[in-house]
Amino acid sequence: MLKRIVPLLLCLGASAVLSAAADSVQEKYIEKYKDLAVSEMYRSGIPASITMAQGMLESSYGNSRLSREANNHFGIKCGKTWEGEKIYHDDDESHECFRKYRTVDESYADHSDFIRYSARYASLFELEITDYVGWANGLKAAGYATDPRYASKLIDIIDKYKLYKLDTARNPSKDSATKPGKEKKKEKKGKKNKQEAPDETDGKPLSPIELITPKPSYDASWNFSIDRQVYQLNGVPMIYTFPEDNYEDLALKYNLFLKELLHFNDLDENPGEPAPGTIVYLKPKKAHAAPGQDKHIVDYSTDGIAPEGILRWISQRYGVRLSCILKINGLKADSIIPDGMEIRLRPQPRKEVAAEKKALKKDE
């Protein structure tokens, strides 16, 4: 009997050691990248628990070939518009193209941008930052992964390692910005403590939908009509057209020259009649989008716009002048925009431009 028990105990002991080693690998990954996931949450609005669980799952806890050789922790493929370095790897098909990053930070940032600025994921940002179950199921429903158990796998990882605690963590970027030798200001009485979900005052951005939802404008100079509400989008007054509206009557109604109204909306001299519900701006659009709306990732299946009209549609959607969009992106009015292309809506920060130039110089 003893002879049977001893091998069994040895097997159980070996199993426990292997399990502990596995957990150690996973916990080391969490410890190494948790601050990065939290920083991305404050930058993009994506729960840190979701980012961390996806990184763990997609990179095999940092041990996959893509993560080791390309710093690609989320298995993001090149697509048709990727211009950075590439690595080829067998996945759904043989020898597929994946994005290669200079650093892990770039991989995390690209993953955040991919979700935040793709229209198909926009509704997820209306969920609470602490609703990781809703986010996991929403990602699967939106087509992020083909694995039918993808959502449950993310939820299991979050629950097992208590990653949901990251969704209420302080912003490490803000903490690191505190000057040495100076004490942090004491929490004001009544202010949320660090166990509560972060809000806008903590640096969490507004959701993509909220940023492009027109808000009623109560400027007396525009609200003289009892039959039509004037709104503001990106700080620019605009209206929605009614059936039977035409641009000439709208210009007359709002004390504008027809050419002015058409210019404000990037239209030619013969635009035809607008469809009901069309956005019409009453003043010039802005040179760039609001903070937190840095880009739009073209997705023709979700956007529902033909390629020849996509740039003007983006211009109207975000309240940004078409000429400025062309300049920021180095495009021409007749440029062909492929599916998946990133259209920047704000000038690239100087530090990012400097980093890219430095990297290009190093490669040369």
Side-chain angles (χ1 to χ4, degrees):
M1 186 70 172
L2 183 61
K3 292 182 179 180
R4 293 181 181 180
I5 294 175
V6 171
L8 178 60
L9 290 174
L10 290 173
C11 289
L12 290 174
S15 176
V17 170
L18 289 173
S19 178
D23 283 350
S24 177
V25 168
Q26 294 147 2
E27 288 165 359
K28 283 181 180 178
Y29 185 93
I30 295 170
E31 185 62 29
K32 189 172 184 178
Y33 298 115
K34 64 180 182 181
D35 283 352
L36 184 53
V38 174
S39 293
E40 283 300 308
M41 174 176 68
Y42 281 92
R43 187 182 74 86
S44 68
I46 301 169
S49 60
I50 289 291
T51 298
M52 179 59 68
Q54 285 189 285
M56 293 170 73
L57 183 62
E58 301 285 353
S59 74
S60 295
Y61 314 107
N63 292 310
S64 70
R65 175 174 175 257
L66 289 178
S67 61
R68 287 185 289 102
E69 297 182 20
N71 289 318
N72 189 332
H73 282 233
F74 298 91
I76 297 180
K77 297 179 181 180
C78 295
K80 298 178 181 178
T81 60
W82 177 251
E83 297 180 352
E85 291 189 63
K86 304 171 183 178
I87 185 172
Y88 293 89
H89 183 75
D90 293 345
D91 191 51
D92 295 329
E93 298 179 9
S94 175
H95 204 58
E96 288 192 270
C97 181
F98 288 82
R99 299 182 181 188
K100 185 176 182 179
Y101 305 98
R102 294 190 294 266
T103 64
V104 176
D105 292 46
E106 287 186 2
S107 176
Y108 270 70
D110 195 33
H111 164 264
S112 297
D113 288 352
F114 177 74
I115 294 176
R116 179 171 177 83
Y117 300 119
S118 295
R120 66 177 58 204
Y121 303 114
S123 62
L124 294 177
F125 291 86
E126 300 307 297
L127 298 172
E128 293 291 335
I129 198 76
T130 52
D131 184 8
Y132 63 89
V133 173
W135 269 85
N137 287 311
L139 284 170
K140 177 63 183 73
Y144 187 92
T146 56
D147 183 351
R149 296 192 61 250
Y150 189 75
S152 61
K153 287 179 179 179
L154 293 181
I155 295 168
D156 288 346
I157 291 173
I158 293 171
D159 286 338
K160 181 176 181 179
Y161 296 100
K162 299 180 180 179
L163 300 180
Y164 47 78
K165 291 183 177 181
L166 299 178
D167 298 335
T168 57
R170 295 178 64 91
N171 186 347
S173 299
K174 185 179 292 186
D175 289 344
S176 64
T178 304
K179 293 183 179 179
K182 289 189 177 182
E183 293 182 3
K184 297 176 186 176
K185 293 181 180 180
K186 292 182 179 180
E187 298 286 345
K188 293 182 179 180
K189 189 175 181 180
K191 187 178 178 182
K192 294 182 178 181
N193 61 48
K194 64 180 181 180
Q195 293 303 315
E196 294 179 329
D199 60 13
E200 287 77 14
T201 61
D202 298 314
K204 173 179 167 285
L206 296 173
S207 74
I209 291 180
E210 191 171 0
L211 284 169
I212 61 171
T213 298
K215 297 174 176 58
S217 172
Y218 299 102
D219 186 335
S221 62
W222 293 108
N223 288 281
F224 51 77
S225 174
I226 62 173
D227 64 343
R228 193 189 308 262
Q229 172 69 55
V230 176
Y231 297 87
Q232 281 201 3
L233 199 162
N234 196 23
V236 185
M238 47 75 64
I239 58 171
Y240 289 107
T241 56
F242 293 161
E244 309 302 325
D245 271 341
N246 62 71
Y247 290 108
E248 289 185 10
D249 289 345
L250 290 174
L252 183 64
K253 184 180 183 66
Y254 291 96
N255 197 29
L256 296 168
F257 292 111
L258 176 59
K259 285 187 177 181
E260 280 185 306
L261 186 67
L262 297 180
H263 178 67
F264 294 163
N265 292 276
D266 293 300
L267 292 166
D268 56 30
E269 294 182 358
N270 301 295
E273 294 186 357
T278 296
I279 289 176
V280 176
Y281 288 97
L282 305 176
K283 285 186 177 181
K285 289 175 282 187
K286 297 293 182 68
H288 50 73
Q293 194 63 72
D294 297 339
K295 64 185 78 171
H296 175 88
I297 299 178
V298 176
D299 183 343
Y300 286 114
S301 63
T302 303
D303 295 341
I305 303 296
E308 59 270 19
I310 191 67
L311 290 176
R312 181 181 174 274
W313 177 81
I314 292 173
S315 169
Q316 293 293 98
R317 178 180 175 86
Y318 297 102
V320 182
R321 294 196 292 274
L322 179 58
S323 60
C324 293
I325 290 177
L326 297 177
K327 183 177 180 180
I328 291 171
N329 293 277
L331 299 170
K332 296 181 179 179
D334 59 352
S335 294
I336 297 174
I337 309 301
D339 198 28
M341 182 173 179
E342 293 185 357
I343 302 297
R344 294 198 66 87
L345 303 174
R346 294 174 59 82
Q348 198 170 8
R350 292 181 179 178
K351 61 180 181 180
E352 290 185 13
V353 174
E356 287 190 3
K357 287 183 177 179
K358 185 177 179 179
L360 289 172
K361 189 174 181 180
K362 185 178 180 181
D363 292 340
E364 291 175 356

